[in-house]
Each structure stands twice: as structure tokens, then as C-alpha cells.
Amino acid sequence: SVNNRTFGLHYDQLYSEKVRFISQSTFLVDHPHKIDRSFKQLAAVGYTFVKSPKAFLLVAPGLGYTDQKESVGSAEKDFGYGAYETASYAFTKALSIEQRAYYLGAFDTADSYHYTGYLGLKGQVTPSVAMTIGFNIVHDNQPAPGIEKTDYQLMSGLQLKF
């Protein structure tokens, strides 16, 4: 998007075959949505419910923090709870479906929460190159005045594995 920059960092520390620590950080500037800056952080303990060559399911509840400044003058900092979830299923070695969800809510106010979800297909072209197409939904229940609460995006891309 024009006037929209996003930087994300995902850290995953495996402690055992089933348990891991996950840290998800996102910084963005989104002028079309009247956001001068937004920082979201989730620190969570994840549990792998399913891990096989065909299927994977991880759920990670934890603590979260958001700090957002809107160009209309509103600024909010919230400490709260959150969760990260990811699942995948491989139909064949070359075709799989992937799903991810990221949720943050505030302790002090029940009407402040953010949700990001993704569902997509990945086609493995070579062992290190894949094509992806997916659907993304982003929901903020306290957007700036005049901005829709929910955005829907159709995305496609190229995935490189190093």
C-alpha cells in the first residue's frame, strides 16, 4: 500500500518437542488508516498439539502490549493478553494449506482488541521456491474515526527458503 510500512519479527525458541517460547513483534506506519505508528508485542508459551509430515498445529497463549498513535490525535497504550496460533496441512509434497491467527486484547478495557488472520495455499515449485496465494483479515475494534474496523486482503507472493 502507499504510505504503509510494516516490519515484523518472529522469534521461536524450542524447549522440548512440544513446548516453545514465541515472541511476535510488529511495527507499522499506515497513513491511509490514520496510524502514525503502531507497535504490538506478544510473548507467549506455545504448545504443539499436532506435528507430523502432513499436519501441524501450534497454540501459544501469552501476554501482550500495544502502543498506537493515530494522526487524529488519539494515542493508546494497552497491556493485556494474547494468543498466536498456526496450523498447516500438506495435501501432497508440493501443495499445502496454511492458517495463522494473532490476537491481542487489553486487561483494563474489554473494548480494545486487535486480530489478524491468514488462510492460504502454498505450492512448492522447487525445494527452495514456493508460490503462495492467501486471504488476510485485519480487525481493530477501535480504529480512527472514519476508518473501517476490518480490512480484507487477497495476497499472492513468492517464498524463498535459504
Side-chain angles (χ1 to χ4, degrees), residues 12 20 22 46-49 56-60 84-87:
D12 195 328
R20 61 184 69 205
I22 293 175
Y47 185 80
T48 304
F49 289 95
F56 180 80
L57 173 62
L58 169 81
V59 177
Y84 174 77
E85 179 269 337
T86 183

Side-chain angles (χ1 to χ4, degrees), residues 53-74:
K54 285 186 122 356
F56 180 80
L57 173 62
L58 169 81
V59 177
L63 296 175
Y65 175 76
T66 61
D67 182 358
Q68 185 163 300
K69 169 75 171 87
E70 296 174 350
S71 59
V72 292
S74 168

Side-chain angles (χ1 to χ4, degrees), residues 30-45:
D30 189 346
H31 292 291
H33 288 100
K34 301 179 183 175
I35 298 172
D36 286 342
R37 64 167 166 71
S38 174
F39 175 74
K40 296 176 186 161
Q41 172 68 46
L42 175 68
V45 175

